[in-house]
Structure formats: structure tokens, C-alpha cells
């Protein structure tokens, strides 16, 4: 059997099954696709694909459906990813560029992926650990309380309170703020501490304790491990009639609720800003063994700041989902605050 022809038959089975949600028979394949061979040859090819584990027969006398292994070969051999139309591209760019702040950007990105794919979208906020410091604000809120506002270069805002000695001089506080901003603006976590330390040692002795306390609070905030936040959108899509899961929806919904574990899966998948695909049992998250995950990193200047993706049944439109995830990741990288 020709290897190329076998791939053509598998591709036709995947495309038909994704579109019709019904097992595919040899007669249907020869009628719908220009395979250039007889139905008997197609049946032989299907038998070989089944023996190799790429397709399976769910019921006696039924057609064939792809297995996880078959979907994997299909995805690995994709000749091209279905491009988005120009109106779709313009709509994505316009919709994201109209966001008013980072929260709005993340929400809009999730809604876009869910609408484009008809599946569940997962969008991670830019990680504080990978963000740079854009601005630091120090705001007295009482006799002995100071509000420390950390604004990152991705537009993320974190607020922390610091206990201080009463009677802070506004002029002194303003000078401290200016010096810390000048020293650390734009620097990542690895470099912020050293920059703050240089500022601290150059200050008068009576100001150093306050400067050291602010510096410690900021570096702790940027270095937090548990601050990762994600947006989920499109969960209602799972309830649509076409989203059939043999084990039901409950395992998938429970997996989506395990956000820390889910984020770990996405992070493990994506090493850079390319698109990665995990199919069925390739997902080590138990509730997603009947699902596929398509994900990509996004960021600025080639630096991956966070991850986004789409989750749906293994019977998904892989070319379309890959194109949607890739497009939103690229546009999100472009509209992030700089």
C-alpha cells in the first residue's frame, strides 16, 4: 500500500468524521474524495490503517473513526494550516486593540478563541516573574501605612501594603519613589534586586530601612509563584450536541477547575511561541483523556510571557483551531502594553 495514499485515506476519514460526527465507510470516502482508486483498494487501505492502530471500528458493520494515534499522524503531517480570512484577521486585531486595560485584553482574547473555535479557551495573564517593572508608586494611606503599587511592562497592576513608621515626609517619599523608578524601570526580577540595593546604599542612613523594606516587598511581589491567573471562556460550548465525550462532561469540567494543574500542562506543552498540540491520552491530566489541547506562548520581542490555548474533543477541527490559537497569540503579543 502506498504510504502517501494511506495518508490521503486517513486525512479523508479525519475530515469527514470531524464534519459529520459519524463513522466513515469506504463507499462514502470514494464518493466524497478524489482518491483515484477503487472502493476495494480503499477498503484494503482502511484495513491496514486499522491494523496499525490509526483508525477503529466502534461498532460491528459500522464505518471507521480516527484513534488518538490517527489524529496525531494527521496533525504531524498537516501540509498547511487553514488560514483565517482577512475579515477574521481584521476583526481580531480591532477587537483586541479596543481593550481598555489588561483585564479587558485577557477577557477579549478568551472570548475570541472560544468564538473562533467553538471550544473552551484558556488565556494566562502575563507572569509577574517574566514581567519587567514599568513604574512603582508609593502612596501614604494612614499614619503608619504605605500602599505600594507595582505596574509591570505588560500592564499588570499589583498592590501591597507596607507598615512604616509614622510621620513620613512627603518630599522624602517622593525622592525615594523617583530614585527607585529610575534605577529599576524596565528591569526583570533577576535585575531589580541589585538595582534597588544600589539605590539603598546611596541614601542617607535614616531612609535606608524604608527603602530596603519597599525593595523587598517589590521583589517578593514580582517573584511570587502563586500569582498566576487565567481566564476561561466558552465552557458552555462543551454542552453543545456535537461535543460528545464517552465518559460525559463531568471529567472535563473537573479538569478545567484544576487551574493550577491545567496551567502546568499548558506550560509543559509550550517552550516558545510556536503552537503545540496534545491529543487524548497524551494529556496526563485524567479528565482530558478524551480531549485535545492546542496551545501557544505569547509575548513581546520573542520573549514568551504567558500561554493561551483551546480545549475541545479529540474530534476537533485541528487546522482551524491551530490557526485561531496562532492568530490570537500573535495579535495579543502586538497589543500588549509596551
Amino acid at each position: 500500500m502506498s504510504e502517501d495514499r494511506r495518508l490521503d485515506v486517513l486525512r479523508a476519514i479525519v475530515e469527514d468524521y470531524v464534519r459529520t460526527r459519524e463513522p466513515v465507510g469506504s463507499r462514502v470516502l470514494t464518493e466524497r474524495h478524489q482518491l483515484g482508486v477503487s472502493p476495494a483498494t480503499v477498503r484494503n487501505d482502511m484495513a491496514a490503517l486499522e491494523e496499525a492502530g490509526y483508525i477503529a471500528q466502534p461498532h460491528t458493520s459500522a464505518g471507521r473513526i480516527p484513534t488518538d494515534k490517527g489524529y496525531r499522524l494527521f496533525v504531524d503531517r498537516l501540509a498547511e494550516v487553514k488560514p483565517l480570512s482577512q475579515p477574521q484577521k481584521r476583526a481580531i486585531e480591532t477587537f483586541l486593540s479596543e481593550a481598555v486595560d489588561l483585564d479587558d485584553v485577557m477577557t477579549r482574547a478568551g472570548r475570541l478563541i472560544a468564538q473562533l473555535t467553538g471550544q473552551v479557551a484558556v488565556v494566562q495573564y502575563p507572569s509577574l516573574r517574566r514581567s519587567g517593572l514599568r513604574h512603582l508608586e508609593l502612596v501614604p494611606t494612614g499614619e503608619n501605612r504605605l500602599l505600594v503599587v507595582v505596574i509591570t511592562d505588560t500592564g499588570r497592576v499589583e498592590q501591597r501594603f507596607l507598615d512604616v513608621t509614622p510621620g513620613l515626609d512627603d518630599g522624602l517619599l517622593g525622592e525615594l519613589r523617583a530614585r527607585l523608578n529610575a534605577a529599576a524601570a524596565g528591569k526583570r526580577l533577576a535585575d531589580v534586586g541589585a538595582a534597588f540595593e544600589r539605590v539603598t546604599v546611596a541614601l542617607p542612613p535614616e531612609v535606608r530601612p524604608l527603602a530596603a523594606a519597599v525593595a523587598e516587598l517589590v521583589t517578593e511581589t514580582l517573584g511570587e509563584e502563586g500569582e498566576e491567573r487565567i481566564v476561561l471562556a466558552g465552557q458552555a460550548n462543551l454542552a453543545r450536541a456535537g461535543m460528545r465525550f464517552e465518559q460525559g462532561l463531568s471529567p472535563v469540567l473537573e479538569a478545567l477547575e484544576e487551574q493550577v494543574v491545567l496551567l502546568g500542562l499548558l506550560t509543559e506543552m509550550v517552550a516558545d511561541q510556536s503552537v503545540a498540540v496534545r491529543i487524548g491520552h497524551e494529556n496526563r491530566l485524567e479528565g482530558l483523556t478524551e480531549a485535545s489541547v492546542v496551545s501557544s506562548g505569547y509575548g513581546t520581542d520573542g520573549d514568551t510571557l504567558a500561554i493561551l490555548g483551546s480545549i475541545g474533543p479529540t474530534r476537533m477541527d485541528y487546522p482551524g483551531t491551530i490557526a485561531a490559537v496562532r492568530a490570537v497569540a500573535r495579535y495579543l503579543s502586538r497589543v500588549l502594553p509596551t
Side-chain angles (χ1 to χ4, degrees):
M1 178 182 59
S2 165
E3 189 77 17
D4 289 341
R5 192 178 68 236
R6 182 178 69 176
L7 290 174
D8 288 341
V9 171
L10 176 63
R11 184 179 300 110
I13 292 172
V14 170
E15 291 173 352
D16 276 12
Y17 183 57
V18 168
R19 183 175 61 254
T20 68
R21 305 183 184 94
E22 296 294 336
V24 184
S26 58
R27 179 179 298 178
V28 171
L29 286 180
T30 54
E31 291 174 352
R32 291 179 179 169
H33 302 272
Q34 302 297 320
L35 297 174
V37 293
S38 67
T41 300
V42 172
R43 284 194 295 272
N44 290 334
D45 289 347
M46 291 175 70
L49 287 167
E50 185 173 6
E51 184 178 356
Y54 294 112
I55 59 176
Q57 188 176 30
H59 307 290
T60 305
S61 75
R64 305 303 193 273
I65 64 174
T67 63
D68 288 358
K69 183 179 179 181
Y71 284 124
R72 169 48 61 193
L73 181 60
F74 172 79
V75 170
D76 289 345
R77 298 297 180 89
L78 276 177
E80 60 183 21
V81 173
K82 183 193 308 179
L84 297 181
S85 66
Q86 286 301 321
Q88 284 178 315
K89 293 178 180 179
R90 286 195 296 270
I92 291 173
E93 188 166 16
T94 300
F95 190 58
L96 288 178
S97 63
E98 290 176 347
V100 297
D101 55 27
L102 183 64
D103 289 332
D104 197 13
V105 171
M106 297 295 102
T107 300
R108 285 170 179 254
R111 287 169 56 191
L112 271 174
I113 295 173
Q115 290 170 2
L116 289 169
T117 65
Q119 299 165 169
V120 176
V122 183
V123 182
Q124 179 192 11
Y125 273 71
S127 171
L128 286 178
R129 294 178 60 84
R130 297 177 182 176
S131 300
L133 181 65
R134 173 190 286 180
H135 185 71
L136 176 66
E137 191 60 52
L138 305 176
V139 183
T141 60
E143 277 295 309
N144 59 345
R145 294 269 281 178
L146 185 66
L147 175 62
V148 181
V149 183
V150 178
I151 305 174
T152 72
D153 56 8
T154 56
R156 187 161 175 175
V157 180
E158 295 291 326
Q159 300 181 7
R160 301 290 187 273
F161 284 99
L162 182 66
D163 292 329
V164 297
T165 56
L168 274 178
D169 179 80
D170 289 342
L172 187 63
L173 197 60
E175 181 181 355
L176 176 59
R177 178 176 56 241
R179 290 198 182 193
L180 291 175
N181 275 310
K187 289 184 170 59
R188 298 293 171 90
L189 175 63
D191 303 315
V192 165
F196 282 160
E197 186 175 351
R198 288 192 293 271
V199 170
T200 301
V201 297
L203 290 169
E206 63 272 16
V207 188
R208 290 175 190 169
L210 175 59
V214 171
E216 182 179 4
L217 183 62
V218 173
T219 52
E220 285 180 356
T221 299
L222 290 175
E224 285 178 354
E225 293 284 359
E227 40 61 49
E228 305 297 359
R229 297 167 57 193
I230 66 174
V231 169
L232 283 175
Q235 296 95 314
N237 288 334
L238 294 178
R240 290 190 292 111
M243 294 283 191
R244 291 200 298 261
F245 295 92
E246 293 297 325
Q247 299 178 11
L249 275 180
S250 294
V252 181
L253 294 174
E254 290 173 3
L256 294 176
E257 290 177 358
E258 295 288 340
Q259 294 191 2
V260 174
V261 180
L262 180 61
L263 187 55
L265 169 65
L266 294 173
T267 303
E268 181 183 279
M269 288 176 61
V270 178
D272 50 32
Q273 292 180 37
S274 60
V275 178
V277 181
R278 287 266 181 96
I279 299 169
H281 288 84
E282 294 173 358
N283 296 305
R284 290 201 288 269
L285 194 53
E286 184 177 351
L288 297 182
T289 55
E290 292 186 57
S292 287
V293 182
V294 178
S295 64
S296 175
Y298 70 88
T300 55
D301 300 324
D303 187 11
T304 299
L305 296 175
I307 298 160
L308 55 77
S310 181
I311 300 173
T314 53
R315 190 196 59 259
M316 70 163 56
D317 174 11
Y318 289 96
T321 301
I322 291 170
V325 168
R326 176 182 294 167
V328 175
R330 287 176 175 173
Y331 286 117
L332 189 56
S333 298
R334 287 170 53 184
V335 302
L336 276 176
T338 56

